[in-house]
Amino acid sequence: MDMRGYQRYREDSLNTMTQGELLLLLYDELFKRLKLAGLELQREHYPTFESAVDRAVEIIHYLADTLDRQYPISANLDRLYEYFCYELSRVKAGRNQIELERVTKMVDELRDSFRQADKNSATQK
C-alpha cells in the first residue's frame, strides 16, 4: 500500500481544519492517552502506562504553550493545565488509578465544554 497518498490526505485534512477542530483533536488525543494509561495500569503494564501518561503531559504542555494570553480565561486554563500535570506526575509516581480517573473525567468535561463552544461559534457564523 502506498503510504504517501495517506500521508498527503492527513496533511490536507489538518491544513483545512478550523482552530476549534484542531483543539478538539488535541483533547480527543489527550483523553485517549489517559484512557490508555488507565487500561495499562489495570493490566499492570507499567512501561506502557508511563508512556501514555508522559504523552498526555506533553499534550497538556502544548495546550498551555499555545494559549492566547490576551484573554482572561487563558490564565485560568493555564492554572488548570498546571494542575493536570501535577496530578499526572502523582498518578505516575504512585500508580494511582483513582486520581487518574478523576483527571480523565475533568479532561473529558473540559473537552465537552470546548466541543459545545465550537458548535455554538459555528452556528453564530
Side-chain angles (χ1 to χ4, degrees):
M1 180 174 171
D2 184 16
M3 294 303 289
R4 289 182 301 233
Y6 175 72
Q7 184 66 26
R8 180 74 178 146
Y9 169 77
R10 283 186 52 199
E11 289 173 11
D12 288 346
S13 294
L14 286 173
N15 290 333
T16 59
M17 286 183 162
T18 66
Q19 287 183 348
E21 290 170 331
L22 288 170
L23 180 66
L24 290 173
L25 188 66
L26 282 168
Y27 270 99
D28 288 343
E29 184 65 21
L30 173 59
F31 182 75
K32 182 177 95 175
R33 295 298 174 149
L34 292 173
K35 292 301 270 184
L36 175 63
L39 291 172
E40 295 302 318
L41 182 58
Q42 287 175 347
R43 294 180 187 151
E44 297 182 3
H45 294 158
Y46 300 122
T48 311
F49 156 73
E50 290 175 1
S51 177
V53 171
D54 289 342
R55 184 66 180 126
V57 169
E58 289 173 9
I59 294 168
I60 294 167
H61 282 272
Y62 179 80
L63 288 167
D65 290 345
T66 58
L67 285 172
D68 189 345
R69 306 290 177 177
Q70 71 178 349
Y71 299 105
I73 189 130
S74 295
N76 294 336
L77 285 170
D78 191 47
R79 284 192 295 272
L80 187 59
Y81 294 153
E82 188 176 314
Y83 172 76
F84 287 160
C85 288
Y86 171 75
E87 287 300 314
L88 289 174
S89 70
R90 291 182 52 211
V91 163
K92 185 177 167 185
R95 297 179 177 158
N96 188 329
Q97 185 76 36
I98 293 169
E99 283 300 307
L100 178 59
E101 289 170 4
R102 195 169 65 79
V103 171
T104 303
K105 184 176 187 289
M106 292 172 70
V107 165
D108 189 35
E109 290 171 358
L110 189 57
R111 177 181 66 163
D112 288 344
S113 297
F114 278 115
R115 182 172 284 119
Q116 188 61 45
D118 189 49
K119 283 181 186 176
N120 290 346
S121 71
T123 58
Q124 290 177 357
K125 292 181 181 178

